[in-house]
Amino acid sequence: MPNQDDHFRASATVCGLARAVRELQLNPQAGPGEVLVKAAISALIGGIGGTLPDLIEPATTPHHRGAFHSVAVGGLLASSHGRIRANPNLAPWEKQLLADLMMGFGVHLALDAQTPRGLPLLTRNL
């Protein structure tokens, strides 16, 4: 079962790489330093997002997975991403911050889904 360090590292890696690829696609003229800084920021924020499920629902037992460790919350995050990106009331940095947090959270769920217990549809506590 992945621990907090595993969740942080995996989420940071995925978010940092995703940001680097996105920056290179959107701005092919960007220098390596600019891409690296933006990727590092996204990696840090994504890593934090990857630890959120266990901060909300601490992994005190193998049965700790409730609503925030569920397929339903993962789907809610995924479906919210497009609305956040399209929201004209959010600044670009706010959209990126939320995207990184959500992606990190999603990586956490993806890692937990690979364990023998998997993820509940909604919660195991009902």
Side-chain angles (χ1 to χ4, degrees):
M1 176 183 296
N3 63 30
Q4 188 172 10
D5 290 341
D6 296 332
H7 284 300
F8 184 91
R9 281 192 298 272
S11 298
T13 300
V14 169
C15 290
L17 288 173
R19 179 69 183 272
V21 168
R22 185 169 186 269
E23 286 300 318
L24 291 170
Q25 288 174 337
L26 294 177
N27 186 7
Q29 306 304 327
E34 178 183 352
V35 173
L36 185 60
V37 167
K38 289 181 178 181
I41 292 168
S42 286
L44 176 61
I45 295 167
I48 292 167
T51 63
L52 286 177
D54 285 342
L55 292 175
I56 296 167
E57 294 171 344
T60 54
T61 73
H63 303 280
H64 77 281
R65 294 181 185 158
F68 286 95
H69 282 82
S70 69
V71 173
V73 167
L76 180 65
L77 289 174
S79 68
S80 299
H81 183 260
R83 287 191 296 273
I84 288 170
R85 284 277 181 207
N87 187 335
N89 298 318
L90 294 173
W93 71 267
E94 292 171 310
K95 293 176 184 182
Q96 187 64 53
L97 177 108
L98 290 170
D100 292 337
L101 284 171
M102 290 167 47
M103 187 182 302
F105 199 108
V107 170
H108 180 113
L109 296 181
L111 287 174
D112 280 0
Q114 311 273 330
T115 65
R117 291 208 167 270
L119 292 179
L121 184 57
L122 182 58
T123 180
R124 293 201 200 287
N125 299 328
L126 290 178

